[in-house]
Amino acid sequence: MGKQWQVQKKKDPYYKRAKGENYRSRASFKLLQLNKKYKIIKKGNNVVDLGAVPGGWSQVALEKVEEEGMVLGIDLQKIKPFPEENFHFIKGDFTKEETQRKIIDIMGGTVDAIISDASPSLSGIKDVDHLRSIDLAESTIDICDNILEENGNLIMKVFQGNEFKNLLEKMKKRFKILKTTKPSSSRKRSSEMYVIGLKYVNLTEK
Ligand SMILES: C[S@@+](CC[C@H](N)C(=O)[O-])C[C@H]1O[C@@H](n2cnc3c(N)ncnc32)[C@H](O)[C@@H]1O
């Protein structure tokens, strides 16, 4: 990380707040802001967090589901353990069938919400990074089709680009309510957008 980036990070109000409020990342505030508005995660819910490290979203999810719910994080990297017994973790690639099978095994049925803040490894080339992000989004939709409960909710980060519209079309078929938004805690210069799907409809059933 360069010196300029370090200086910018220290000036960032959400970075400071995350440190002060003991959140693992500034990203926690994105989920807090979006959850306040869209009620994606509720008390007692079972939640899958795709691309969970360092754990800022899982922390917020654990707060929202309380002891009655469960949170499963998945990431390519290891996560610093959480003390909560209702947190589980898989170290793996969620685009792979093997990992998706493990998710189904651990959750043991359908889930109420899927949250994904996953970012591909960045090349710095906008179109390449967009397409990598779309690949992650496509896998996320497959996971929804496998385990998301009828009327369940999804929130997913996507880097915008040419394929964004097609992705939204796919999602429109699956969710009764679809929103795209960029919370104020998302950096303005980033092309990231958050797609929120509420009230999932399983097209593969019957
Ligand atoms: C921006 S970070 C997530 C931050 C997290 N939401 C938080 O609040 O702390 C994106 C994460 O996505 C993970 N990731 C990217 N592609 C993945 C994949 N195919 N399978 C699992 N994790 C992936 C990365 O390893 C990285 O840790």
Side-chain angles (χ1 to χ4, degrees):
M1 229 181 263
K3 209 172 172 185
Q4 199 189 351
W5 170 251
Q6 289 285 7
V7 173
Q8 270 176 12
K9 193 169 93 171
K10 285 195 178 137
K11 278 193 196 158
D12 174 14
Y14 288 105
Y15 173 76
K16 284 188 190 158
R17 262 185 80 186
K19 285 205 115 184
E21 294 175 36
N22 279 327
Y23 281 119
R24 291 188 179 188
S25 72
R26 69 186 295 289
S28 294
F29 297 105
K30 297 179 194 171
L31 185 58
L32 282 166
Q33 288 174 354
L34 295 172
N35 201 58
K36 191 170 179 193
K37 190 161 178 192
Y38 298 106
K39 315 276 181 285
I40 302 150
I41 306 169
K42 301 178 196 82
K43 185 175 173 176
N45 278 177
N46 288 335
V47 178
V48 172
D49 181 8
L50 302 171
V53 168
W57 276 30
S58 286
Q59 251 179 315
V60 171
L62 282 165
E63 284 172 12
K64 300 293 166 199
V65 303
E66 301 186 28
E67 283 178 7
E68 291 93 322
M70 176 173 154
V71 178
L72 170 65
I74 296 104
D75 205 288
L76 298 168
Q77 305 172 58
K78 269 201 333 213
I79 200 163
K80 200 173 122 205
F82 280 103
E84 286 88 343
E85 285 179 3
N86 56 343
F87 179 77
H88 300 265
F89 184 72
I90 299 170
K91 183 175 176 291
D93 180 343
F94 69 78
T95 65
K96 299 269 187 297
E97 222 182 290
E98 181 199 349
T99 311
Q100 295 179 10
R101 247 184 278 120
K102 284 186 190 164
I103 298 175
I104 294 169
D105 284 351
I106 293 181
M107 297 315 280
T110 51
V111 304
D112 304 289
I114 295 178
I115 59 179
S116 172
D117 191 30
S119 298
S121 60
L122 297 177
S123 67
I125 303 163
K126 210 170 162 247
D127 289 346
V128 172
D129 294 338
H130 161 63
L131 291 176
R132 288 182 182 170
S133 170
I134 291 289
D135 281 346
L136 294 179
E138 299 272 1
S139 290
T140 303
I141 294 175
D142 288 344
I143 295 171
C144 288
D145 288 342
N146 285 328
I147 58 163
L148 190 57
E149 178 79 41
E150 282 286 325
N151 288 316
N153 299 325
L154 165 72
I155 172 167
M156 164 167 81
K157 175 169 76 187
V158 184
F159 295 134
Q160 293 173 84
N162 291 341
E163 290 301 315
F164 190 59
K165 232 176 117 190
N166 289 339
L167 178 79
L168 293 183
E169 285 306 317
K170 241 182 179 173
M171 291 185 66
K172 255 186 213 158
K173 291 186 189 138
R174 289 171 168 80
F175 292 91
K176 289 182 195 150
I177 302 167
L178 193 69
K179 305 273 181 195
T180 56
T181 182
K182 196 171 163 71
S184 64
S185 47
S186 170
R187 291 189 174 96
K188 286 199 178 66
R189 64 174 183 280
S190 162
S191 71
E192 72 185 15
M193 186 60 98
Y194 286 83
V195 185
I196 291 141
L198 304 175
K199 295 187 177 290
Y200 174 72
V201 179
N202 193 324
L203 302 173
T204 61
E205 273 183 0
K206 279 168 242 147

